[in-house]
Amino acid sequence: YTSLEEFENDIYLIFCNCYKYNDVESEIYSLDKALECIFNKNVILQDRQTRELKKVLEKTNSNFRIK
């Protein structure tokens, strides 16, 4: 993969295919739903951490600028 977005898109495609090709009442469908939930929580957490890190870096960089 050349980007995280590309990887995420493929993962979501896997989830969609699992829903499409498995019965709603099957164990695989249920496990897919649980895994997607975990994946989404991690993506949200990672996004939040990335935004917080950018804020810290911007603040740090602004403190070191020559005036």
Side-chain angles (χ1 to χ4, degrees):
Y1 295 101
T2 58
S3 71
L4 185 56
E5 186 177 272
E6 202 177 312
F7 171 74
E8 288 175 0
N9 288 339
D10 270 359
I11 295 298
Y12 286 118
L13 179 60
I14 292 168
F15 292 141
C16 288
N17 286 338
C18 187
Y19 295 136
K20 185 176 182 177
Y21 295 108
N22 291 281
D23 187 66
V24 175
E25 295 181 17
S26 72
E27 184 179 11
I28 292 177
Y29 191 97
S30 297
L31 292 171
D32 183 56
K33 209 158 193 55
L35 183 59
E36 183 179 19
C37 184
I38 293 167
F39 184 79
N40 286 335
K41 285 178 184 177
N42 285 321
V43 167
I44 290 168
L45 177 63
Q46 178 191 0
D47 185 50
R48 186 180 309 134
Q49 289 172 337
T50 300
R51 280 183 277 134
E52 289 173 6
L53 180 60
K54 284 181 181 179
K55 286 180 188 176
V56 169
L57 289 173
E58 288 171 0
K59 186 174 182 179
T60 302
N61 287 338
S62 69
N63 289 337
F64 289 106
R65 286 196 182 116
I66 298 174
K67 297 179 181 182

